[in-house]
Amino acid sequence: MPDLSSRNPDWWRQAVVYQVYPRSFADADGDGFGDIRGVTERLAHLATLGVDALWLSPFYPSELADGGYDVADHRDVDPRLGTLDDFDALVEEAHRLGLKVMVDIVPNHTSHQHVWFQQALVDGPGSAARERYVFRDGRGAHGELPPTDWQSVFGGSAWQRVPDGQWYLHLFAAQQPDLNWAHDEVRADFRTTLRFWADRGVDGFRIDVAHALAKDLAEPLRDLGDPALSGEEALAGMPPGSHPFFDRDEVHEIYRDWRRLLDSYSPPRMAVAEAWVPGPRRVLYARPEELGQAFNFEYLQAAWDARELRRVIGDSLAQAHAAGASATWVLSNHDVVRHASRLMLPPGTDDNAWLLSGGRAPAVDRSAGLRRARAATLLMLALPGSAYVYQGEELGLPEVADLPVTVLQDPIWEQTGRVRKGRDGCRVPLPWTTGGPSYGFGGSGAWLPQPEWFAEYSVEAQDGVEGATLELYRRALRLRRKLLEGEFLTWAEDGPEGVLQFARSDGWRCVANLSGEPVPLPAGEVVISSSPLEPDGRLGNDTTVWLT
């Protein structure tokens, strides 16, 4: 099997990576769920789009208690999605088309259906099997109270009691028991998993919840005293590295060990951390001796505001450079409201409240949201480093905010007592055609209902249409390959208020107007524009151009 990344072992430093959420991408067997063969059959779409790699969200055996992130076997394919032979065929076809392949690694927890956890339940308290997880006796006269006040990211206690009276830790859903990373067997098993996929030709790995593996489990376990300190946003309230289960300093020894394994391949395999931690701590995961990259969530969370974006961009580039890493940029993924909707919400709007209103409070103008999303895309693609694109954003898809509660699948909905609507609205299966039972997603319906307006956003509706968002992405990615050199930029200091302007290699420039009013366009040739220029030649609001 050809390993095309050997042509440039550092391909990932400035790559465009396309995230595939397999169950919502393409359905080859007509059962309503996306599958591996469906992805393979649509790889030409990614090659034509011009991305460098695809990242596959989990496709492992799972009961889907958390959208596939509850993994029952880290070294197999869920039978509903295909087989290992199907996966091998996907990798072979991707490499033939010049695409790299990344897969998700989920090391913080397993499914409660995993053979290890099932053995732990059978063997009981004090057994060797329970040492692979975090089991503890409860508090109270009869052990009826959780061992600590720790809260799950998904809501409620982070502890679940089993019939023999002990409790196990789950930082996410109850069906996702946390592994004990102080256990040598856990560490050895994940080294085996990394080799398993690297040996099958995988070029890189996305590490789920990378900041949570190391935990302070010294007895007595310490309470946090404030439920808010259990969430991923809690780190700002505690000294760096001191939280009992997030972003502990010991976690980096794990990734230094992984880097030695990944570097044993020729070319070395790349990795990127999902670490919801402050920027100065995030880049520690991205050091060359660790994973190499980490997702930049400050950029994703930044408001559509020129000053804030400039600060985040500048800080991110400086931090990445100091760590010896390349920067990363992302606007959407499988966990957040799609940016074509999110960027239009007024400052201070609670995303969950907006979802609970069905997207009606406030209402979002889809055409205005698309204009802003296109401008944000050209800005992101002009930045030094790697851009991660979520499936469907090349079509300009907004969030499906009005999914009825009767169809919701995300465990967040039930685990929070139906208070948080969850992430289903960004996971609705993609529209490929303007008609059919699932707009070309498969031969029958889709596992989440698609709105009628999906037809106008479909690949078929946009393919070859001048000005379409799909064609904007294709042109931008072609130009990016030609224009993007080096990992630095130079800010222009004389532009109008609310306008971001910077220069890259060979003098080409990016200008993004966030001011609210049209502004004069700097001298130069416009090679691409997110929206047409004003009739008088000025740069309209919510518009980004590249100039040479």
Side-chain angles (χ1 to χ4, degrees):
M1 181 181 299
D3 190 348
L4 300 184
S5 62
S6 61
R7 297 177 183 175
N8 176 15
D10 290 331
W11 62 268
W12 50 270
R13 292 188 69 91
Q14 299 244 44
V16 177
V17 180
Y18 185 101
Q19 181 189 358
V20 171
Y21 191 74
R23 290 170 176 82
S24 296
F25 190 70
D27 171 21
D29 63 11
D31 66 354
F33 283 87
D35 44 47
I36 297 296
R37 284 199 301 115
V39 177
T40 305
E41 291 173 2
R42 295 290 188 179
L43 285 176
H45 171 73
L46 303 189
T48 302
L49 188 62
V51 301
D52 300 292
L54 67 147
W55 148 33
L56 283 172
S57 291
F59 50 87
Y60 313 113
S62 171
E63 66 174 338
L64 303 181
D66 182 23
Y69 284 87
D70 48 314
V71 179
D73 185 342
H74 292 83
R75 298 191 288 273
D76 204 353
V77 176
D78 191 307
R80 292 166 294 184
L81 274 71
T83 65
L84 283 170
D85 286 342
D86 291 332
F87 179 84
D88 292 340
L90 183 154
V91 173
E92 183 175 10
E93 177 64 3
H95 285 168
R96 186 187 72 80
L97 292 170
L99 297 167
K100 316 301 188 294
V101 178
M102 296 168 55
V103 300
D104 236 305
I105 297 294
V106 187
N108 180 67
H109 45 259
T110 70
S111 166
H112 66 153
Q113 295 182 337
H114 192 285
V115 63
W116 276 4
F117 192 76
Q118 290 298 308
Q119 183 180 354
L121 293 180
V122 171
D123 290 0
S127 65
R130 289 209 173 179
E131 290 301 313
R132 298 181 183 128
Y133 293 90
V134 183
F135 278 88
R136 290 291 186 276
D137 292 329
R139 296 185 294 190
H142 306 287
E144 72 277 9
L145 300 176
T148 69
D149 64 358
W150 301 351
Q151 298 292 295
S152 162
V153 173
F154 289 168
S157 174
W159 296 95
Q160 180 72 26
R161 201 175 193 190
V162 298
D164 58 43
Q166 279 202 312
W167 300 72
Y168 68 85
L169 179 68
H170 61 92
L171 292 182
F172 294 88
Q175 298 90 338
Q176 295 169 289
D178 278 46
L179 288 163
N180 173 17
W181 272 87
H183 197 296
D184 288 341
E185 192 172 353
V186 171
R187 297 191 178 211
D189 192 71
F190 272 90
R191 286 193 289 269
T192 299
T193 293
L194 291 170
R195 290 191 187 96
F196 180 87
W197 296 111
D199 289 346
R200 300 190 96 88
V202 164
D203 302 282
F205 301 92
R206 179 262 190 188
I207 312 305
D208 183 62
V209 197
H211 59 300
L213 275 57
K215 298 175 176 69
D216 179 7
L217 300 177
E219 296 291 350
L221 298 180
R222 53 189 168 111
D223 281 339
L224 287 167
D226 179 355
L229 293 176
S230 289
E232 291 175 330
E233 68 282 355
L235 296 170
M238 305 189 77
S242 68
H243 195 282
F245 49 82
F246 282 144
D247 192 37
R248 294 191 59 78
D249 292 333
E250 309 94 276
V251 77
H252 297 288
E253 186 276 325
I254 296 170
Y255 299 129
R256 286 191 289 272
D257 177 59
W258 286 16
R259 175 44 57 195
R260 290 189 289 271
L261 184 156
L262 298 175
D263 282 350
S264 70
Y265 287 85
S266 181
R269 287 356 187 198
M270 62 81 67
V272 58
E274 181 209 27
W276 290 87
V277 301
R281 297 284 297 182
R282 182 190 69 243
V283 294
L284 300 180
Y285 297 80
R287 290 176 291 192
E289 64 270 24
E290 295 192 28
L291 296 176
Q293 278 191 340
F295 285 133
N296 184 350
F297 294 116
E298 285 92 340
Y299 187 73
L300 183 151
Q301 294 171 324
W304 186 243
D305 174 83
R307 289 185 179 180
E308 182 174 351
L309 283 168
R310 175 163 174 169
R311 177 188 60 78
V312 170
I313 291 167
D315 289 350
S316 300
L317 289 172
Q319 291 161 358
H321 178 68
S326 64
T328 66
W329 315 101
V330 60
L331 290 167
S332 285
N333 62 36
H334 64 292
D335 283 333
V336 300
V337 172
R338 286 186 177 273
H339 66 274
S341 299
R342 189 186 70 250
L343 291 177
M344 292 304 298
L345 297 178
T349 301
D350 180 78
D351 288 0
N352 182 60
W354 180 73
L355 290 172
L356 289 173
S357 77
R360 291 184 287 273
V364 172
D365 183 327
R366 289 209 302 267
S367 62
L370 179 59
R371 180 184 179 99
R372 185 166 289 183
R374 288 163 58 105
T377 292
L378 282 196
L379 173 61
M380 176 181 74
L381 293 178
L383 295 171
S386 293
Y388 286 79
V389 173
Y390 180 50
Q391 65 177 44
E393 71 174 77
E394 79 278 16
L395 306 178
L397 284 181
E399 186 81 357
V400 183
D402 59 352
L403 286 172
V405 297
T406 54
V407 305
L408 298 182
Q409 305 287 320
D410 192 336
I412 289 176
W413 174 243
E414 294 294 345
Q415 197 158 325
T416 61
R418 302 189 173 187
V419 171
R420 289 167 53 195
K421 195 170 183 181
R423 302 159 292 179
D424 292 307
C426 66
R427 301 177 179 184
V428 176
L430 295 188
W432 294 92
T433 62
T434 57
S438 59
Y439 300 104
F441 168 68
S444 59
W447 66 279
L448 281 172
Q450 302 155 298
E452 291 183 3
W453 48 262
F454 256 34
E456 65 190 87
Y457 289 87
S458 67
V459 174
E460 182 182 31
Q462 299 190 49
D463 186 25
V465 176
E466 185 176 356
T469 301
L470 176 58
E471 295 300 334
L472 176 75
Y473 270 76
R474 288 171 174 171
R475 177 166 173 75
L477 292 177
R478 287 195 300 269
L479 288 168
R480 189 180 188 273
R481 288 179 184 269
K482 297 177 182 179
L483 297 173
L484 203 63
E485 294 182 7
E487 295 187 14
F488 300 93
L489 58 77
T490 303
W491 292 104
E493 302 296 347
D494 56 354
E497 184 74 18
V499 174
L500 291 169
Q501 181 178 343
F502 56 84
R504 295 295 312 277
S505 59
D506 298 328
W508 77 276
R509 290 161 293 154
C510 175
V511 186
N513 180 13
L514 289 66
S515 71
E517 300 289 341
V519 298
L521 189 66
E525 179 185 355
V526 176
V527 295
I528 190 169
S529 178
S530 63
S531 294
L533 299 180
E534 297 293 300
D536 60 4
R538 291 185 298 167
L539 184 66
N541 184 44
D542 288 348
T543 303
T544 300
V545 296
W546 295 357
L547 301 170
T548 58

